[in-house]
Amino acid sequence: MDKIDAMRTFNAVVAEGSFVKAAQKLDISPQLVSKYVAQLEAQLKTRLLNRTTRRVHPTEAGLSYYERSCQVLHEIEDMENALSNLQTQVSGTLRVSAPMSFGIQHMAEPLNQFQQQYPDIQIELMLTDRKVDLLEEGVDVALRIGRLQDSTLVAKKIAPIRLVVCAAPHYFAEHGKPQNINELSQLNYLRFTYSDVKSLLTPWPEHLSTQDFVSDFSSNNGDVIVKCAILGQGYAIQPTFLMGDAIKQGQLEVLDDFTITPLGLYALYNHREYLASKVRHFIDFLAQYFGHIPPWDSY
């Protein structure tokens, strides 16, 4: 016996004063109504209804059970409506994880616009370069930059991420502009510790090793590397979302002769089925906001 169904059936009998009318209201058979009530009484070991030929009346215990069960059923209905609203309305708290540098430079404006469009949303933004565990840390959407790999998570590409070889114009004026990877390896490489230069530059010369690259500086933060490149310390291979403004202002110069495997900005989330409306709308909003040609590439 389903306790909730039995409770609803009993309440319908009390409200209608009849097994037949309760059956009509619930669109089930009178026999099933009688069965539910009998099972409920057997389980509670209490008579809930007094039956006459014309009408059904609740006993004292039945009336008490009816009043309490009405409260329970109302609370269940409220809970179900609240959950349904979470699925259909853009409201509640949205927890977002994003890479540190990208988040600082490019997330404030779209988040502001999203909240203006959906004022019932509260946003918690967590900036970190580590891969968060969405389930354990209660994150709704994680933004990650890289190449899409097999994962138990669902991923949607939000925007292309283009990487370029850049240095200050005065650095190239002093050391010359390299024409190929061999010549590039002899200049000072401002190395990003989370990436391998061999996985970025294509086609890679077979005779060349990553150990052949000259480098006197490395960092796990792209913003620092870009600033060092602007100061003329060496060249950097960084995404345009970090270097776009410096390129636009003439502080950095791009070497267009080098082909670099592109990356992507992806939104990762746990389940495609029954996806909360706030998550679905947020991902669609970001994809539209950044577009196929993101703003940082408009230099």
Side-chain angles (χ1 to χ4, degrees), residues 232-284:
Q233 188 172 340
Y235 70 91
I237 304 176
Q238 285 292 304
T240 52
F241 71 74
L242 287 181
M243 301 200 287
D245 287 343
I247 295 169
K248 188 183 299 185
Q249 296 169 16
Q251 296 174 303
L252 292 174
E253 184 177 348
V254 179
L255 294 180
D256 293 321
D257 293 335
F258 291 90
T259 302
I260 302 180
T261 306
L263 305 177
L265 172 66
Y266 293 92
L268 280 71
Y269 51 99
N270 276 309
H271 301 291
R272 190 185 304 276
E273 189 176 12
Y274 304 127
L275 183 64
S277 183
K278 62 181 179 180
V279 176
R280 182 175 62 254
H281 279 77
F282 179 67
I283 293 171
D284 291 343

Coordinates of all heavy atoms in Angstrom, one line a residue, residues 232-284:
G232 N 58.9 43.1 -21.7 CA 60.0 42.8 -22.6 C 61.0 41.7 -22.1 O 62.1 41.6 -22.5
Q233 N 60.4 40.9 -21.2 CA 61.3 39.8 -20.6 C 61.4 38.6 -21.5 O 62.3 37.9 -21.4 CB 60.7 39.4 -19.2 CG 61.6 38.5 -18.5 CD 61.1 38.2 -17.0 OE1 60.3 39.0 -16.5 NE2 61.6 37.2 -16.4
G234 N 60.4 38.5 -22.4 CA 60.4 37.3 -23.3 C 59.1 37.3 -24.1 O 58.3 38.2 -24.1
Y235 N 58.9 36.1 -24.7 CA 57.6 35.9 -25.4 C 56.7 35.0 -24.6 O 57.2 34.2 -23.8 CB 57.8 35.4 -26.8 CG 58.3 33.9 -26.9 CD1 57.4 32.9 -26.9 CD2 59.6 33.6 -26.8 CE1 57.8 31.6 -27.0 CE2 60.1 32.3 -26.8 CZ 59.2 31.3 -26.9 OH 59.6 30.0 -27.0
A236 N 55.4 35.1 -24.8 CA 54.4 34.3 -24.1 C 53.5 33.6 -25.1 O 53.3 34.1 -26.2 CB 53.6 35.1 -23.2
I237 N 53.0 32.4 -24.8 CA 52.0 31.7 -25.5 C 50.8 31.7 -24.6 O 50.7 30.8 -23.7 CB 52.4 30.3 -26.0 CG1 53.7 30.4 -26.8 CG2 51.3 29.7 -26.8 CD1 54.2 29.0 -27.2
Q238 N 49.9 32.6 -24.8 CA 48.7 32.8 -23.9 C 47.5 33.0 -24.6 O 47.5 33.4 -25.8 CB 49.0 33.9 -22.9 CG 50.0 33.6 -21.8 CD 49.5 32.6 -20.8 OE1 48.4 32.8 -20.2 NE2 50.2 31.5 -20.6
P239 N 46.3 32.8 -24.0 CA 45.0 33.0 -24.7 C 44.8 34.5 -24.9 O 45.2 35.4 -24.1 CB 44.0 32.4 -23.8 CG 44.7 32.4 -22.4 CD 46.1 32.2 -22.7
T240 N 44.1 34.8 -26.0 CA 43.8 36.2 -26.3 C 42.9 36.9 -25.2 O 42.8 38.1 -25.1 CB 43.1 36.4 -27.7 OG1 42.0 35.5 -27.8 CG2 44.1 36.0 -28.7
F241 N 42.1 36.1 -24.4 CA 41.3 36.7 -23.4 C 42.2 37.4 -22.3 O 41.7 38.2 -21.6 CB 40.3 35.8 -22.8 CG 40.8 34.7 -21.9 CD1 41.3 35.0 -20.6 CD2 40.9 33.4 -22.3 CE1 41.8 34.0 -19.8 CE2 41.4 32.4 -21.5 CZ 41.8 32.7 -20.2
L242 N 43.5 37.0 -22.2 CA 44.4 37.7 -21.3 C 45.2 38.8 -22.0 O 45.6 39.7 -21.4 CB 45.4 36.6 -20.7 CG 44.8 35.7 -19.7 CD1 45.9 34.7 -19.2 CD2 44.2 36.4 -18.5
M243 N 45.5 38.6 -23.3 CA 46.4 39.5 -24.0 C 45.7 40.5 -25.0 O 46.3 41.3 -25.6 CB 47.4 38.7 -24.8 CG 48.3 37.8 -23.9 SD 49.8 37.3 -24.6 CE 49.3 36.1 -25.8
G244 N 44.4 40.3 -25.2 CA 43.7 41.1 -26.2 C 43.8 42.6 -26.0 O 44.1 43.3 -27.0
D245 N 43.7 43.1 -24.8 CA 43.8 44.5 -24.5 C 45.2 45.0 -24.8 O 45.4 46.1 -25.4 CB 43.4 44.9 -23.1 CG 41.9 44.8 -22.8 OD1 41.1 44.7 -23.8 OD2 41.5 44.6 -21.7
A246 N 46.2 44.3 -24.4 CA 47.6 44.7 -24.6 C 47.9 44.7 -26.1 O 48.7 45.5 -26.6 CB 48.5 43.7 -23.8
I247 N 47.4 43.7 -26.8 CA 47.6 43.7 -28.3 C 46.9 44.9 -28.9 O 47.5 45.6 -29.8 CB 47.0 42.4 -28.9 CG1 47.8 41.2 -28.3 CG2 47.0 42.4 -30.4 CD1 47.1 39.8 -28.7
K248 N 45.7 45.2 -28.5 CA 44.9 46.3 -29.0 C 45.7 47.6 -28.8 O 45.7 48.6 -29.6 CB 43.5 46.4 -28.4 CG 42.6 47.4 -29.0 CD 41.3 47.4 -28.3 CE 40.6 46.1 -28.4 NZ 39.2 46.1 -27.7
Q249 N 46.3 47.8 -27.6 CA 47.0 49.0 -27.2 C 48.5 49.0 -27.8 O 49.2 50.0 -27.6 CB 47.1 49.1 -25.7 CG 45.7 49.3 -25.1 CD 45.7 49.1 -23.6 OE1 46.7 49.2 -22.9 NE2 44.5 48.9 -23.0
G250 N 48.9 48.0 -28.5 CA 50.2 48.0 -29.1 C 51.3 47.6 -28.1 O 52.5 47.7 -28.5
Q251 N 50.9 47.1 -26.9 CA 52.0 46.7 -26.0 C 52.5 45.3 -26.3 O 53.6 45.0 -25.9 CB 51.3 46.7 -24.6 CG 50.9 48.0 -24.0 CD 50.2 47.9 -22.7 OE1 49.2 47.2 -22.6 NE2 50.7 48.6 -21.7
L252 N 51.8 44.5 -27.0 CA 52.2 43.2 -27.4 C 52.0 43.1 -28.9 O 51.0 43.6 -29.5 CB 51.5 42.1 -26.7 CG 51.8 42.0 -25.2 CD1 50.8 40.9 -24.6 CD2 53.2 41.6 -24.9
E253 N 52.9 42.3 -29.5 CA 52.8 42.0 -31.0 C 52.6 40.5 -31.2 O 53.3 39.7 -30.6 CB 54.0 42.6 -31.7 CG 54.0 42.4 -33.2 CD 55.2 43.0 -33.8 OE1 56.0 43.7 -33.2 OE2 55.4 42.8 -35.1
V254 N 51.7 40.2 -32.1 CA 51.4 38.8 -32.4 C 52.2 38.3 -33.5 O 52.4 39.0 -34.5 CB 49.9 38.6 -32.7 CG1 49.6 37.1 -33.0 CG2 49.0 39.1 -31.6
L255 N 52.8 37.1 -33.4 CA 53.4 36.4 -34.5 C 52.4 35.5 -35.2 O 52.1 34.4 -34.7 CB 54.6 35.5 -34.0 CG 55.8 36.3 -33.3 CD1 56.9 35.4 -32.9 CD2 56.4 37.3 -34.3
D256 N 51.9 35.9 -36.3 CA 50.9 35.2 -37.0 C 51.3 33.9 -37.7 O 50.5 33.2 -38.2 CB 50.2 36.1 -38.0 CG 49.4 37.3 -37.3 OD1 48.8 37.0 -36.3 OD2 49.5 38.4 -37.8
D257 N 52.6 33.7 -37.9 CA 53.1 32.6 -38.6 C 53.0 31.3 -37.9 O 53.2 30.2 -38.5 CB 54.6 32.8 -39.0 CG 54.7 34.0 -40.0 OD1 53.8 34.2 -40.7 OD2 55.8 34.6 -40.1
F258 N 52.7 31.3 -36.6 CA 52.7 30.1 -35.8 C 51.3 29.6 -35.6 O 50.4 30.3 -35.3 CB 53.3 30.3 -34.4 CG 54.8 30.6 -34.5 CD1 55.3 31.9 -34.7 CD2 55.7 29.5 -34.5 CE1 56.7 32.1 -34.8 CE2 57.1 29.7 -34.6 CZ 57.6 31.0 -34.7
T259 N 51.1 28.3 -35.8 CA 49.8 27.6 -35.7 C 49.7 27.0 -34.3 O 50.6 26.2 -33.9 CB 49.6 26.5 -36.7 OG1 49.7 27.1 -38.0 CG2 48.3 25.9 -36.6
I260 N 48.7 27.4 -33.6 CA 48.5 26.9 -32.2 C 47.2 26.2 -32.1 O 46.2 26.7 -32.6 CB 48.6 28.0 -31.2 CG1 50.0 28.7 -31.3 CG2 48.4 27.5 -29.8 CD1 50.2 29.8 -30.3
T261 N 47.2 25.0 -31.6 CA 46.0 24.2 -31.4 C 45.0 25.0 -30.6 O 45.3 25.3 -29.4 CB 46.2 22.8 -30.8 OG1 47.2 22.2 -31.6 CG2 45.0 22.0 -30.8
P262 N 43.8 25.3 -31.1 CA 42.8 26.1 -30.3 C 42.2 25.3 -29.1 O 42.2 24.1 -29.1 CB 41.7 26.5 -31.3 CG 41.8 25.4 -32.3 CD 43.2 25.0 -32.4
L263 N 41.8 26.0 -28.1 CA 41.1 25.4 -27.0 C 39.7 25.9 -27.0 O 39.2 26.5 -27.9 CB 41.8 25.9 -25.7 CG 43.3 25.6 -25.6 CD1 43.9 26.2 -24.2 CD2 43.6 24.1 -25.6
G264 N 39.0 25.6 -25.9 CA 37.6 26.0 -25.8 C 37.2 26.3 -24.4 O 37.8 25.8 -23.5
L265 N 36.2 27.2 -24.2 CA 35.6 27.5 -22.9 C 34.4 26.6 -22.8 O 33.5 26.7 -23.7 CB 35.3 28.9 -22.8 CG 34.5 29.3 -21.5 CD1 35.3 29.1 -20.3 CD2 34.0 30.8 -21.6
Y266 N 34.3 25.7 -21.9 CA 33.2 24.8 -21.7 C 32.5 25.0 -20.4 O 33.1 25.3 -19.4 CB 33.8 23.3 -21.8 CG 34.3 22.9 -23.1 CD1 35.7 23.1 -23.4 CD2 33.5 22.4 -24.1 CE1 36.2 22.7 -24.6 CE2 34.0 22.0 -25.3 CZ 35.4 22.2 -25.6 OH 35.9 21.8 -26.8
A267 N 31.2 24.8 -20.4 CA 30.4 24.8 -19.2 C 30.1 23.3 -18.9 O 29.5 22.6 -19.7 CB 29.1 25.5 -19.4
L268 N 30.5 22.9 -17.7 CA 30.3 21.5 -17.3 C 29.2 21.4 -16.2 O 29.2 22.3 -15.3 CB 31.6 20.9 -16.8 CG 32.6 20.4 -17.8 CD1 33.2 21.5 -18.6 CD2 33.6 19.5 -17.2
Y269 N 28.4 20.5 -16.3 CA 27.3 20.3 -15.3 C 27.0 18.8 -15.2 O 27.5 18.0 -16.0 CB 26.1 21.1 -15.6 CG 25.5 20.9 -17.0 CD1 24.4 20.0 -17.2 CD2 26.0 21.5 -18.1 CE1 23.9 19.8 -18.5 CE2 25.5 21.4 -19.4 CZ 24.5 20.5 -19.6 OH 24.0 20.3 -20.8
N270 N 26.3 18.4 -14.2 CA 26.1 17.0 -13.8 C 25.2 16.2 -14.6 O 25.5 15.1 -15.1 CB 25.7 16.9 -12.3 CG 26.9 16.9 -11.4 OD1 27.9 16.2 -11.6 ND2 26.9 17.8 -10.4
H271 N 24.0 16.7 -14.9 CA 23.0 15.9 -15.5 C 22.3 16.7 -16.6 O 21.9 17.8 -16.4 CB 21.9 15.4 -14.5 CG 22.5 14.6 -13.4 ND1 23.0 13.3 -13.6 CD2 22.6 14.9 -12.1 CE1 23.5 12.9 -12.4 NE2 23.3 13.8 -11.5
R272 N 22.0 16.0 -17.7 CA 21.3 16.6 -18.8 C 19.8 16.5 -18.5 O 19.0 17.4 -18.8 CB 21.6 16.0 -20.1 CG 21.0 16.7 -21.4 CD 21.3 15.9 -22.6 NE 22.7 15.6 -22.8 CZ 23.5 16.4 -23.4 NH1 23.1 17.6 -23.8 NH2 24.8 16.0 -23.5
E273 N 19.4 15.4 -17.9 CA 17.9 15.1 -17.6 C 17.5 15.9 -16.4 O 18.3 16.0 -15.4 CB 17.7 13.6 -17.4 CG 16.2 13.3 -17.3 CD 16.0 11.8 -17.2 OE1 17.0 11.1 -17.0 OE2 14.9 11.3 -17.3
Y274 N 16.4 16.5 -16.4 CA 15.8 17.3 -15.3 C 16.8 18.4 -14.9 O 16.9 18.7 -13.7 CB 15.5 16.4 -14.1 CG 14.6 15.3 -14.4 CD1 14.9 14.0 -14.1 CD2 13.4 15.5 -15.0 CE1 14.1 12.9 -14.3 CE2 12.5 14.5 -15.3 CZ 12.9 13.2 -15.0 OH 12.0 12.2 -15.3
L275 N 17.4 19.0 -15.9 CA 18.3 20.1 -15.6 C 17.6 21.3 -15.1 O 16.6 21.8 -15.6 CB 19.1 20.5 -16.9 CG 20.2 21.6 -16.7 CD1 21.3 21.1 -15.8 CD2 20.7 22.0 -18.1
A276 N 18.0 21.9 -13.9 CA 17.3 23.0 -13.3 C 17.3 24.2 -14.3 O 18.3 24.4 -15.0 CB 18.0 23.4 -12.0
S277 N 16.2 24.9 -14.3 CA 16.0 26.0 -15.3 C 17.1 27.1 -15.1 O 17.6 27.6 -16.1 CB 14.6 26.6 -15.0 OG 14.4 27.7 -16.0
K278 N 17.5 27.3 -13.9 CA 18.5 28.4 -13.6 C 19.9 28.0 -14.3 O 20.6 28.8 -14.8 CB 18.8 28.6 -12.1 CG 19.3 27.3 -11.4 CD 19.4 27.6 -9.9 CE 19.9 26.3 -9.2 NZ 20.1 26.5 -7.7
V279 N 20.2 26.7 -14.3 CA 21.4 26.2 -14.9 C 21.3 26.3 -16.5 O 22.2 26.8 -17.2 CB 21.8 24.8 -14.5 CG1 23.0 24.2 -15.2 CG2 22.0 24.7 -13.0
R280 N 20.2 25.8 -17.0 CA 20.0 25.8 -18.4 C 20.0 27.2 -19.0 O 20.7 27.5 -20.0 CB 18.7 25.1 -18.8 CG 18.4 25.0 -20.3 CD 17.2 24.2 -20.6 NE 16.0 24.9 -20.0 CZ 15.3 24.4 -19.0 NH1 15.7 23.4 -18.3 NH2 14.2 25.1 -18.5
H281 N 19.3 28.1 -18.3 CA 19.3 29.5 -18.8 C 20.6 30.2 -18.7 O 21.0 31.0 -19.6 CB 18.2 30.3 -18.0 CG 16.8 30.1 -18.5 ND1 16.1 29.0 -18.2 CD2 16.0 30.9 -19.2 CE1 14.9 29.1 -18.7 NE2 14.8 30.2 -19.4
F282 N 21.4 29.9 -17.6 CA 22.7 30.5 -17.5 C 23.7 30.0 -18.6 O 24.4 30.9 -19.1 CB 23.3 30.1 -16.1 CG 24.6 30.7 -15.8 CD1 24.8 32.1 -15.7 CD2 25.7 29.8 -15.7 CE1 26.1 32.6 -15.4 CE2 27.0 30.3 -15.5 CZ 27.2 31.7 -15.3
I283 N 23.7 28.8 -18.9 CA 24.6 28.3 -19.9 C 24.2 28.8 -21.3 O 25.1 29.3 -22.0 CB 24.5 26.7 -19.9 CG1 25.1 26.1 -18.6 CG2 25.3 26.2 -21.2 CD1 25.0 24.7 -18.5
D284 N 22.9 28.9 -21.6 CA 22.5 29.5 -22.8 C 22.8 31.0 -22.9 O 23.2 31.5 -23.9 CB 21.0 29.3 -23.0 CG 20.6 27.8 -23.3 OD1 21.5 27.0 -23.6 OD2 19.4 27.5 -23.1

